[in-house]
Amino acid sequence: MTTADLHTLTGAYVLHALGPEERVEFEHHLMECPSCDQEVRELAATAGKLSLVVAMVPPPELKQQVMRRISTERQEPPGPGRARLERRSGGRALSRFVLAACVAAAMGLGGVSLWQHQEANDARQAAQRAERQSAELAAVLSAPDAKLAAGGLPGGAKGTVVVSTSLNKAAFFTSGMPEPAAGKVYQLWFNDNGTMRSAGLMNPATPNNAVLMKGPVDAASGMGVTVEPAGGSSEPTSAPLAVMNFPT
Amino acid sequence: MKEPVFAGRPAPAQPDLQELIGLVARGDHEAFSRVYDAVCGPVLGLVRAVLRDPAQSEEVTQEVLMEVWRTAARYQPSRGSAMTWILTLAHRRAVDRVRSAQAASDREQRAALLDRTPEYDEVTEQVEASLEREQVRRCLGGLTELQRQSVTLAYYRGLAYSEVAELLAVPLGTVKTRLRDGLIRLRDCLGVTV
Ligand SMILES: [Zn+2]
């Protein structure tokens, strides 16, 4: 890697986003590049601020446990830290779940609750269903040819569609969708050259949602979302809230 | 005891952490207790954002705090604030954990993770931190979409930049530069100086 390239790695470095080799290479560079060194300090302080957005109140027993542990834990003397060789693994396939969660997280900062199964945490069955669906979703997301297109929906909500041509499947994610009026549902459609083909319903109760679109993509060039009477319709009965072209 | 609050200026959010860390380095339990109070909320929140699983998040948070206890004498103020030091440790450990969990291709574990997605409404509104928090949100909103996605995927989800690139279907080099210029823009927006 050239020195000019190395200068650009400060951000990835402070976010712990480099692979192991690049990390080592960059750390060598840091020792001889004062401007990167300064930038790393500033960007590390900046990244730390991002944690404020997700801060939580810790459970009281956590403090008790930690306070108990320190009374028996030896402290290390001052001095240079051990050059801890990090067990980092580059290039591993993403866990399917994490991958799916990422897309949803990417659409809205932090506080995204994405899975429909959250409301059904009482039932093992629901968990299995969610797992099955998420496995299918994840297959789409992790397909080597998966492509993603994002667009706005009314009311500031966002939609992201992920399409895999090799799997002939598409998934649709929303964030910030308002609940539809009573007795109404959101329905997804494939756009077959102007003809809308149903791709299933979206759970209306959760503003942030991830669904596998029902049926094959085939020749569809895009998708649409409409509001339909409960149970859905065989063809759209209202003007679409959004129409998105599939990424190519 | 509460610090006096001066009108027009936010009260100091924390005790002087750097000083406290110096005391912790000498084995001061009371100082450690105060460090805990100052850092545990952001540490736990960050770890949980990355790991999602509450039990694992608490475990990793404990490890982070134990590392602070053990290595307090090695903290170098010239390298950055104590808060930055601790949050860097926390992010590092969370990222290591999430990547090793991914490596273990244990279906059960994945199902368990899936079943325990955190409820983000558990996130608190700590009054003294809320101003700064709002500022962070506002500054994140000032990034381009790609900058924001890249930075948040790497920070809150612990993704490597190659994974971010794959997920967003953009070239590796683009993600590298978006991570950098995104953080630089945040730095300037937040007025971070070191
Ligand atoms: Zn440099």
Side-chain angles (χ1 to χ4, degrees), chain A residues 15-17 22-23 39 41-42 49-50 56-57 63 65 69 73 75-76 79 88 97 117, chain B residues 24 33 37 41 45 62 69-70 74 78-79 91-92 96 99 114 124 132 145 156 161 180 187:
Chain A
L15 295 169
H16 302 122
E22 272 176 318
R23 180 183 173 82
E39 193 168 289
R41 285 189 232 180
E42 291 168 0
K49 304 271 182 208
L50 293 174
M56 304 174 66
V57 172
K63 181 166 184 179
Q65 286 166 12
R69 280 180 69 185
E73 181 93 2
Q75 292 180 292
E76 292 172 16
R88 298 291 295 280
F97 163 65
H117 76 101
Chain B
V24 170
S33 163
D37 293 339
Q62 277 204 35
W69 168 256
R70 260 196 331 272
R74 301 231 167 105
S78 64
R79 302 290 312 157
H91 192 253
R92 174 87 234 186
D96 282 348
R99 291 190 192 157
L114 185 62
T124 60
E132 207 173 7
E145 188 73 0
Y156 294 121
Y161 81 87
R180 175 166 181 256
R187 174 197 70 192

Side-chain angles (χ1 to χ4, degrees), chain A residues 74-240:
Chain A
R74 271 184 71 167
Q75 292 180 292
E76 292 172 16
R82 287 165 296 153
R84 203 156 68 85
L85 275 181
E86 308 289 349
R87 308 172 284 104
R88 298 291 295 280
S89 52
R92 272 179 184 151
L94 271 176
S95 129
R96 292 166 158 189
F97 163 65
V98 171
L99 189 58
C102 290
V103 169
M107 299 188 311
L109 162 68
V112 179
S113 64
L114 60 154
W115 301 103
Q116 300 92 310
H117 76 101
Q118 275 192 331
E119 59 193 295
N121 49 11
D122 54 336
R124 167 166 289 254
Q125 202 189 3
Q128 282 166 350
R129 197 164 56 234
E131 192 193 357
R132 198 160 54 240
Q133 195 200 19
S134 87
E136 286 171 334
L137 270 173
V140 174
L141 288 167
S142 54
D145 64 345
K147 294 222 170 71
L148 179 154
L153 293 166
K158 282 187 176 182
T160 301
V161 64
V162 180
V163 183
S164 162
T165 310
S166 65
L167 296 174
N168 201 17
K169 282 279 180 191
F172 186 61
F173 298 80
T174 60
S175 73
M177 284 285 269
E179 213 172 311
K184 301 283 185 182
V185 291
Y186 292 118
Q187 188 164 359
L188 306 177
W189 307 88
F190 284 114
N191 179 359
D192 289 333
N193 196 22
T195 306
M196 294 301 206
R197 165 166 56 95
S198 177
L201 304 180
M202 228 169 65
N203 184 342
T206 46
N208 304 301
N209 217 324
V211 282
L212 186 73
M213 292 179 67
K214 225 170 163 177
V217 174
D218 289 345
S221 61
M223 53 120 13
V225 186
T226 61
V227 176
E228 299 295 334
S233 309
S234 56
E235 54 181 69
T237 62
S238 64

Side-chain angles (χ1 to χ4, degrees), chain A residues 7 29 33 35-36:
Chain A
H7 294 317
H29 172 71
C33 180
S35 69
C36 278

